[in-house]
Amino acid sequence: MSSDEKRSVRDVVHHTLEKFSGIKRPSFLPSSSLDPVDKDYLYEHYLSPIPLQHLHEGEGVIIDSKGRFMSLLNYMDHLRLGLVDDRNDLF
């Protein structure tokens, strides 16, 4: 994907998640703003199937303010969504 395409995907997903009531105040964190410790924390907290150390320019994550939701954007041209069920209320 080109840089413009990656930016477009990020913007569409971010604006869509802002409208979803189940995700509180989503924030986009570009990979370039995350140091190795941040990436390790996100990887472990959200039980990511992908080590976040491998994120490149134009890739990043969207997280919510409650620490329950993470979306991995533009990694291998995919969108991955994850939710931490800390209240045991999903099923």
Side-chain angles (χ1 to χ4, degrees):
M1 260 199 259
S2 71
S3 294
D4 288 339
E5 289 171 321
K6 287 182 177 186
R7 190 176 313 105
S8 178
V9 168
R10 178 196 70 209
D11 292 344
V12 167
V13 173
H14 190 212
H15 294 303
T16 301
L17 292 175
E18 285 179 321
K19 297 174 189 173
F20 180 62
S21 65
I23 299 172
K24 303 297 181 201
R25 296 187 313 275
S27 299
F28 176 70
L29 305 172
S31 61
S32 59
S33 74
L34 299 170
D35 64 30
V37 173
D38 294 331
K39 290 177 181 179
D40 280 344
Y41 172 78
L42 293 170
Y43 172 71
E44 291 176 13
H45 178 77
Y46 291 101
L47 306 173
S48 174
I50 299 163
L52 301 182
Q53 299 298 341
H54 302 295
L55 292 177
H56 298 97
E57 187 64 35
E59 301 168 346
V61 298
I62 293 178
I63 60 172
D64 72 333
S65 64
K66 301 255 185 205
R68 296 186 71 212
F69 174 83
M70 181 179 78
S71 172
L72 184 57
L73 296 177
N74 296 328
Y75 182 75
M76 299 175 56
D77 297 341
H78 286 73
L79 169 66
R80 295 181 188 256
L81 305 173
L83 183 69
V84 176
D85 182 14
D86 61 345
R87 296 182 297 190
N88 201 27
D89 63 355
L90 292 179
F91 301 103

